[in-house]
Every structure is written in C-alpha cells, then in structure tokens.
Amino acid sequence: ADDLIVDKGTLERLSADFGQTTYAFSNGNSVGNYASLMLSRTYYHGLALRGIYTFGKTLDTMSNAQSLDANAITNTSDNVIETQHLNFQRGRSDFDIHQQFTADGVWDVPNSYSRRTVRAVLGGWEFGGEWVGQTGLPFTAYTSAAFKPIYDANGNVIGNAGGDYNADGTNYDIPNVPGFGRHLSGQSKSSFLNGIFGPPAGGLAASKFPIPSLGQEGDIGRNTYDQPGYKNMDFTFEKYFNAPWFFTEKIKIEAKGEVFNLFNRTNLWGVTSDLSSSSFGQSTNQLPARSLQFHLRASF
C-alpha cells in the first residue's frame, strides 16, 4: 500500500526512503446462507427429470468469480477501497447469485417396435437437455480517474474535479449513493444495452452519482448492483448402431449431436462499472450464440 498525503494537490509519500510498502494480513472473512429445493422423477417409461431451485446470499470483504460458459463470465477484482479499513468494503461476494433454477432430463426412446427396420431407425435414441436460469453477478460502481484538485486564489485545495476521492493514490474509489439508491431491479435487456443508469451511458449517467466530500471515500458500498441474468438451454441426442464389419465381427457406431444455446438467447454480461468510462452502465459483452456439434464414433 502507498502511504500518501496531499500537499496543495501534490501526492507526497510520508517516507521518501520507500517507494512502496507491501504487506499482507488475514483479517478477512466471509459468510453465506443458501437453501435448495430439489424435485426429481426417476426413470418412468424411459423418462427421468430433475429440477433444483437455490436461494441465498454470500457476503465477504474480497473475492472473485469465474463461471458460465467455460469461465467466459468473470467477476474478478483485487482492488481495495480503503487499505486501512477492510470492513468498509464488506458486501456481496463477487460470485454471489441470489437465485438459480436448473432442470435436466433424459428420455430413452423405447426400442420395442415390431418391425426391424423401424426399430433400427426410430428406436434406441436418447434425448437429453439442461436448462439454467439465474440472477446476475454483482458489480461495484467506482471511478479509476486520478485526483484532480481545484485551487483557491492562495493555492489551497478546495475541491476535486476528478477521482481518487480520498487522495490515497490508488485511483479506485466509490461515489456516494445516488438518488435512485444502491439497487436496481427489473432491468430489461434493452436497459443494459442503453445503460441501466439512464441514457445516454457514460458521463451523464455518471453525473447521477454524487462525489463525496474532499478527502473522503463515498458510501455506496461494494457490489451493490446486478449484472444481467443468465438463461440457457443445451440439448443432446445420440444413438448407437450395430453393423456387420468383418466376417462375424460387428462394428458399433455412436452418432451424437449437441446443441448449445438451443433457443439462441442473447445472454449479456460485463456491465461497465467505471464512472470515468464513456460506456459506464452499459453491458458490452455477450455469450456465444447457438452452435451445433455432431460426431460419429466407431468401435469394433
């Protein structure tokens, strides 16, 4: 951490003999409470179904998240708002998801057709699917702008037109709570595309977040807003065929297909949370569109 003071707008170190002092401590903690409800139906005429609903909340002082689509959605930050006051940033964990519902099922098509050709074509197929729906990961509204002092006629700092509100030199600071509060609910896809804090995104939206008093950190807190939720359906189908091969041997062929994002849903993520960015409040990324994958495998 850097020990800095402000002298008429100039950041100066308390000790000129050290450029930076790095230290570690273990006073962080986390707590989580979750409840799950599961309903399942075992095999009945080849069909099996299961659904799981989870509700809960996790709090901590620092964490990170890597989830969804082979870690495409990440929520990772090593920034500390106030180095001497870790509990100041206690809030929702970076991986906190309030609600999640998953459902999966498998259907083995009966292979009881009397005619051999019909049985070979229609029987023996296996269909499966998995549905996931969940609320979004949290994010923190902050600014990475540097301290920009405002002087009076005598050269004294009387205000700040930039960021780094507490003037500690880290350029990671949070504003005060805006008029619409710490939370926003029921945001649509178009809201995330245009900016959830109101159009246009960027400067005008950022101006809705009050700047704290000179030398003070804001009070909005960490991880108070939500990124877009996530919904996805994957689908698979497969069948095994037996065919003559060499003399009395037979070859076994597996035909399998996989459809990712079956309904081709646009899943947004990555809301820009830096008040100094021109895209502040907008979601600028999305997960891949629908894709299909087929393969054949022969064994003998």
Side-chain angles (χ1 to χ4, degrees), residues 81-217:
I81 300 171
E82 286 195 353
T83 55
Q84 303 299 326
H85 188 189
L86 189 60
N87 284 334
F88 181 78
Q89 66 180 51
R90 183 173 178 81
R92 290 174 58 193
S93 303
D94 289 2
F95 54 84
D96 180 59
I97 295 174
H98 277 334
Q99 299 182 72
Q100 182 185 73
F101 176 73
T102 62
D104 59 85
V106 176
W107 181 40
D108 290 323
V109 179
N111 199 12
S112 57
Y113 300 99
S114 58
R115 296 180 59 180
R116 182 176 180 181
T117 54
V118 176
R119 184 170 62 249
V121 175
L122 301 180
W125 284 96
E126 181 180 275
F127 298 96
E130 181 181 66
W131 164 264
V132 178
Q134 64 185 37
T135 54
L137 296 171
F139 71 91
T140 303
Y142 75 98
T143 180
S144 64
F147 184 75
K148 189 176 180 180
I150 300 174
Y151 303 96
D152 64 9
N154 297 319
N156 297 311
V157 179
I158 59 173
N160 176 17
D164 190 10
Y165 302 135
N166 61 356
D168 64 356
T170 62
N171 294 353
Y172 183 84
D173 296 79
I174 58 175
N176 282 334
V177 180
F180 49 80
R182 289 184 171 89
H183 306 283
L184 292 173
S185 59
Q187 297 300 300
S188 65
K189 188 181 301 183
S190 61
S191 297
F192 283 104
L193 290 173
N194 296 319
I196 61 173
F197 302 117
L204 184 58
S207 66
K208 299 177 181 179
F209 289 77
I211 296 176
S213 301
L214 182 63
Q216 301 296 315
E217 197 65 69

Side-chain angles (χ1 to χ4, degrees), residues 19-286:
Q20 186 179 67
T21 303
T22 302
Y23 60 93
F25 46 86
S26 59
N27 59 348
N29 62 83
S30 63
V31 60
N33 295 284
Y34 283 88
S36 293
L37 174 66
M38 183 179 74
L39 297 175
S40 62
R41 174 65 173 174
T42 55
Y43 268 84
Y44 179 75
H45 293 298
L47 180 65
L49 298 172
R50 179 179 60 176
I52 303 174
Y53 172 74
T54 302
F55 176 82
K57 188 175 184 179
T58 302
L59 301 172
D60 60 24
T61 51
M62 180 177 288
S63 54
N64 60 72
Q66 293 182 329
S67 63
L68 306 182
D69 196 67
N71 294 334
I73 293 183
T74 59
N75 193 29
T76 304
S77 174
D78 295 327
N79 295 301
V80 176
I81 300 171
E82 286 195 353
T83 55
Q84 303 299 326
H85 188 189
L86 189 60
N87 284 334
F88 181 78
Q89 66 180 51
R90 183 173 178 81
R92 290 174 58 193
S93 303
D94 289 2
F95 54 84
D96 180 59
I97 295 174
H98 277 334
Q99 299 182 72
Q100 182 185 73
F101 176 73
T102 62
D104 59 85
V106 176
W107 181 40
D108 290 323
V109 179
N111 199 12
S112 57
Y113 300 99
S114 58
R115 296 180 59 180
R116 182 176 180 181
T117 54
V118 176
R119 184 170 62 249
V121 175
L122 301 180
W125 284 96
E126 181 180 275
F127 298 96
E130 181 181 66
W131 164 264
V132 178
Q134 64 185 37
T135 54
L137 296 171
F139 71 91
T140 303
Y142 75 98
T143 180
S144 64
F147 184 75
K148 189 176 180 180
I150 300 174
Y151 303 96
D152 64 9
N154 297 319
N156 297 311
V157 179
I158 59 173
N160 176 17
D164 190 10
Y165 302 135
N166 61 356
D168 64 356
T170 62
N171 294 353
Y172 183 84
D173 296 79
I174 58 175
N176 282 334
V177 180
F180 49 80
R182 289 184 171 89
H183 306 283
L184 292 173
S185 59
Q187 297 300 300
S188 65
K189 188 181 301 183
S190 61
S191 297
F192 283 104
L193 290 173
N194 296 319
I196 61 173
F197 302 117
L204 184 58
S207 66
K208 299 177 181 179
F209 289 77
I211 296 176
S213 301
L214 182 63
Q216 301 296 315
E217 197 65 69
D219 60 5
I220 194 172
R222 166 176 163 263
N223 280 344
T224 60
Y225 298 107
D226 293 298
Q227 296 187 49
Y230 173 77
K231 294 179 182 178
N232 183 64
M233 175 74 178
D234 293 334
F235 179 72
T236 64
F237 54 94
E238 63 180 310
K239 178 177 171 60
Y240 289 92
F241 300 88
N242 291 314
W245 174 239
F246 185 76
F247 290 102
T248 59
E249 292 187 19
K250 288 187 177 181
I251 186 172
K252 188 174 185 179
I253 301 175
E254 176 192 14
K256 185 174 183 178
E258 297 170 299
V259 185
F260 304 100
N261 194 2
L262 177 65
F263 302 120
N264 202 29
R265 188 181 191 279
T266 301
N267 281 298
L268 302 174
W269 67 279
V271 176
T272 302
S273 56
D274 187 349
L275 280 81
S276 65
S277 172
S278 60
S279 60
F280 172 68
Q282 283 182 303
S283 182
T284 56
N285 295 283
Q286 69 177 59

